Amino acid sequence: MTPKIIAHRGVTRNDQENTLPAFHQALSEGADGLEIDVRLSKDEKPIIFHDEDTSRLFDKNLEIKNAMYSELQALGNKENQIPLLNEVLDFLPQNKECFIEIKSDANTVPFLDKLRIKNKNITFLSFDKNVIADLKKRFPNKLVFQSFHTLQIERYGIKKILEFYKKGNSDGLSIDIRDLSNKTIDKLLEKKIDLIIWTLNSMGRLKELSKKNIRAIITDEVKDFADFLKKKN
């Protein structure tokens, strides 16, 4: 299996992360899909934004869950406006994937558009077991992956992570690649676990991991990684 190259919040060299221009740029550079972050606004609209509040990217600090979408939308201009999830789903080509990480709690799940998601190539990611359970109920035909940070893997160890995985209802693991050895990845693959890794930006590491049976690599280096795999194949 050749891993798919997935753009981490789009391509952000010249555009703000998690915006429509960043997503369009990622697809133009050869990404097989997009990784996006979803939160629920106060008026129950699924929006694309990573952080709990807007302070890192905008001058005004609004907490996403306590802000109306009209307030969030007004923070940006045409180039860096916070998009709705449905806007991304509407433009996503049928031959591209969207990896949706649910950053807020399980209350978000009922507000995800069933028809739009059914008709697109969607994989869900979440750290929250309750979100995973609800996603599997609402979207039984979509893959849902359990996410783990490197610190969680170091704290609990692979054995415990595997226990969490077996007890859960996920279809695979989405794991933080930082400081994670190839030996550890091999141990997970030996257990026939479907793997997504993030956020990989080292070409040397890509050359090693592209030989393994990994479903997808989430990266900021879309063009270089996509070009390498294209030549390799």
Side-chain angles (χ1 to χ4, degrees):
M1 177 192 296
T2 299
K4 293 179 179 177
I5 298 303
I6 306 301
H8 181 230
R9 308 178 201 168
V11 167
T12 58
R13 282 191 309 276
N14 301 311
D15 297 301
Q16 185 168 292
E17 66 181 50
N18 276 325
T19 58
L20 295 178
F23 299 146
H24 283 290
Q25 185 62 33
L27 298 184
S28 74
E29 292 189 10
D32 295 306
L34 307 170
E35 182 270 337
I36 66 176
D37 304 291
V38 170
R39 292 184 178 277
L40 200 65
S41 65
K42 185 178 180 180
D43 49 343
E44 299 173 334
K45 295 185 183 300
I47 67 157
I48 311 299
F49 206 77
H50 179 272
D51 300 355
E52 292 183 355
D53 63 60
T54 61
S55 60
R56 179 170 62 90
L57 296 177
F58 295 100
D59 293 333
K60 191 172 183 179
N61 185 8
L62 296 176
E63 191 175 19
I64 302 299
K65 67 180 181 181
N66 291 324
M68 304 293 281
Y69 177 62
S70 58
E71 297 177 87
L72 297 166
Q73 188 181 38
L75 294 176
N77 54 40
K78 186 178 179 181
E79 298 305 314
N80 68 347
Q81 200 167 70
I82 297 172
L84 294 165
L85 172 59
N86 284 348
E87 291 181 86
V88 178
L89 295 177
D90 286 345
F91 94 77
L92 186 75
Q94 288 297 129
N95 65 335
K96 299 294 182 180
E97 293 191 51
C98 191
F99 288 64
I100 299 175
E101 180 168 356
I102 305 298
K103 304 297 285 187
S104 43
D105 61 25
N107 291 327
T108 306
V109 176
F111 297 98
L112 302 176
D113 190 305
K114 250 187 169 180
L115 184 59
R116 279 186 171 94
I117 288 171
K118 177 184 176 182
N119 292 331
K120 296 289 183 174
N121 197 354
I122 303 296
T123 295
F124 290 104
L125 315 173
S126 180
F127 288 92
D128 188 325
K129 64 180 182 180
N130 295 319
V131 171
I132 291 168
D134 284 2
L135 285 168
K136 291 300 293 181
K137 288 177 186 175
R138 186 166 173 80
F139 303 103
N141 297 321
K142 299 299 181 184
L143 296 176
V144 182
F145 280 62
Q146 170 83 55
S147 296
F148 286 101
H149 282 292
T150 295
L151 291 176
Q152 290 174 298
I153 297 171
E154 290 174 349
R155 177 182 175 187
Y156 296 117
I158 288 297
K159 187 176 179 181
K160 200 70 176 175
I161 293 297
L162 289 172
E163 286 179 19
F164 291 150
Y165 169 69
K166 289 174 183 176
K167 288 178 182 177
N169 194 29
S170 67
D171 298 296
L173 295 179
S174 167
I175 56 174
D176 182 358
I177 196 66
R178 291 174 296 177
D179 304 319
L180 204 63
S181 70
N182 287 357
K183 185 177 179 181
T184 299
I185 292 171
D186 287 339
K187 285 181 181 178
L188 293 170
L189 291 173
E190 284 169 9
K191 300 294 183 181
K192 307 297 182 186
I193 296 174
D194 210 354
L195 286 186
I196 297 168
I197 60 175
W198 50 274
T199 301
L200 178 65
N201 291 326
S202 162
M203 178 59 75
R205 196 84 192 273
L206 172 68
K207 290 177 180 179
E208 296 172 357
L209 295 177
S210 64
K211 301 171 186 176
K212 301 182 185 295
N213 196 29
I214 293 170
R215 174 176 289 274
I217 292 172
I218 297 173
T219 181
D220 298 306
E221 303 297 333
V222 170
K223 189 174 189 309
D224 288 347
F225 279 25
D227 287 349
F228 167 76
L229 290 184
K230 188 176 180 180
K231 290 175 184 175
K232 180 175 178 286
N233 295 326

